[in-house]
Amino acid sequence: MQWTSIVLTSSTIALFVLLKRWRPQLPTFVIVLVAMSGLAAWMKSSGFPVVTYADAKFTIYDLLPPFPDFLSKDVAVQFSQLFGLAVAIAFVATLEQSAMSKTIASRGNYRVDANQDMLSLGTANLACAYLSGMPASGSLTRSALNFESGARTPLSSMINGSICLVGALTIGPLVAYIPRAVLATLVICIAISLIHRRQIRISLRATKSDALVFVVTLASTLLVPLHVAIFTGVGVSIMLYLRKASQPRWWSMSSTRRGIWPRHKARRGRTPPYPSCM
């Protein structure tokens, strides 16, 4: 591990936290990225080793998409190889889109149209398929950064994409001066801002099943790839739900003149946290 990376990482965290507390209305991500890139350029000119994106250069010809060949004789074999992977990617993209939209909606106090989200996500992926793009979904970090920068409508994403395209074609060589440690630290800082401790406490204290699903999903995310962790969490949640549905608990209740509904003991001698049947 290089000491320059440790210095850049520590400076990035300190400046990011300072700007967030001192001037939260400023574009913190851009300011920190430019400032740390300048610091890294000075360190590199002074003879200190700094890991950057010096090899990440491209031209407009690299953006030209190769169209898929549907008349190839190997199309059937390729379809069988890619079908399962495509379903997994679609499932992960749907979950990521849903999680991102609900997270941002809860912070902005507005509702999400899930049907419109899925329609737009499917349309975007169809366009990516014919234009040689990567599978599209709602990015948690980029969406949080966009929201914290003051964006409130989908027009911000269109402006963001246009600026990225123009920047890639005009100032693309400047990417070589961005330190990898700084960019990775900024992405982690943005991702940490999405953690809500209140929701975590609710999940851990609601029921044992919710707590188990949360712990298993969290551990899987740290140990295995993201799509495997999502499938693991969903699988555990479904198994616990089927187990609960196969063993219903009866809960008899009676009313009094005062309108009170006292609890009676369940069939197994204890009162469940919530009834399956009344």
Side-chain angles (χ1 to χ4, degrees):
M1 179 180 295
Q2 298 179 355
W3 68 268
T4 53
S5 299
I6 299 177
V7 171
L8 290 173
T9 300
S10 304
S11 303
T12 301
I13 296 175
L15 184 57
F16 184 88
V17 174
L18 180 64
L19 289 177
K20 276 297 181 182
R21 294 183 178 181
W22 181 49
R23 289 289 188 271
Q25 69 275 11
L26 295 177
T28 307
F29 189 94
V30 177
I31 295 175
V32 175
L33 184 63
V34 173
M36 292 299 104
S37 298
L39 177 60
W42 174 80
M43 296 173 65
K44 197 170 185 179
S45 63
S46 300
F48 301 109
V50 178
V51 180
T52 61
Y53 291 92
D55 299 330
K57 297 180 180 179
F58 56 89
T59 62
I60 189 174
Y61 298 103
D62 298 324
L63 301 178
L64 297 178
F67 291 93
D69 185 11
F70 294 103
L71 301 179
S72 174
K73 61 180 181 180
D74 298 329
V75 64
V77 178
Q78 295 175 355
F79 178 82
S80 61
Q81 293 175 347
L82 297 177
F83 180 76
L85 183 60
V87 172
I89 293 177
F91 185 73
V92 172
T94 302
L95 291 179
E96 188 176 14
Q97 176 75 16
S98 177
M100 180 273 301
S101 59
K102 291 181 179 179
T103 300
I104 300 299
S106 63
R107 299 174 62 179
N109 296 324
Y110 61 86
R111 290 188 175 184
V112 177
D113 189 348
N115 294 330
Q116 190 67 29
D117 267 0
M118 295 303 104
L119 176 62
S120 59
L121 182 63
T123 304
N125 279 284
L126 282 176
C128 291
Y130 286 96
L131 297 177
S132 189
M134 296 180 65
S137 66
S139 173
L140 293 173
T141 53
R142 291 183 66 250
S143 299
L145 177 62
N146 205 22
F147 181 80
E148 293 179 356
S149 300
R152 292 298 180 269
T153 65
L155 183 61
S156 61
S157 298
M158 300 175 61
I159 298 176
N160 185 12
S162 302
I163 294 176
C164 289
L165 179 60
V166 174
L169 299 178
T170 55
I171 60 175
L174 295 180
V175 175
Y177 296 97
I178 299 179
R180 296 189 178 185
V182 171
L183 188 59
T185 304
L186 286 174
V187 172
I188 294 174
C189 290
I190 296 297
I192 291 177
S193 65
L194 296 174
I195 299 176
H196 299 282
R197 289 177 293 181
R198 180 174 178 272
Q199 279 76 8
I200 294 177
R201 288 196 299 267
I202 292 175
S203 299
L204 293 177
R205 296 178 181 178
T207 62
K208 294 182 179 180
S209 299
D210 293 335
L212 179 61
V213 171
F214 175 82
V215 173
V216 170
T217 305
L218 177 61
S220 301
T221 305
L222 300 176
L223 298 176
V224 298
L226 179 60
H227 65 282
V228 178
I230 293 176
F231 285 140
T232 302
V234 173
V236 172
S237 178
I238 293 176
M239 287 189 295
L240 292 176
Y241 172 77
L242 293 177
R243 175 181 175 274
K244 188 180 300 181
S246 63
Q247 299 176 356
R249 295 177 179 178
W250 294 90
W251 193 3
S252 60
M253 306 182 71
S254 60
S255 61
T256 63
R257 295 180 179 179
R258 297 181 180 180
I260 303 176
W261 293 67
R263 297 179 179 178
H264 294 272
K265 291 185 178 181
R267 180 183 299 177
R268 298 184 180 181
R270 59 179 180 177
T271 303
Y274 54 86
S276 299
C277 300
M278 284 189 182

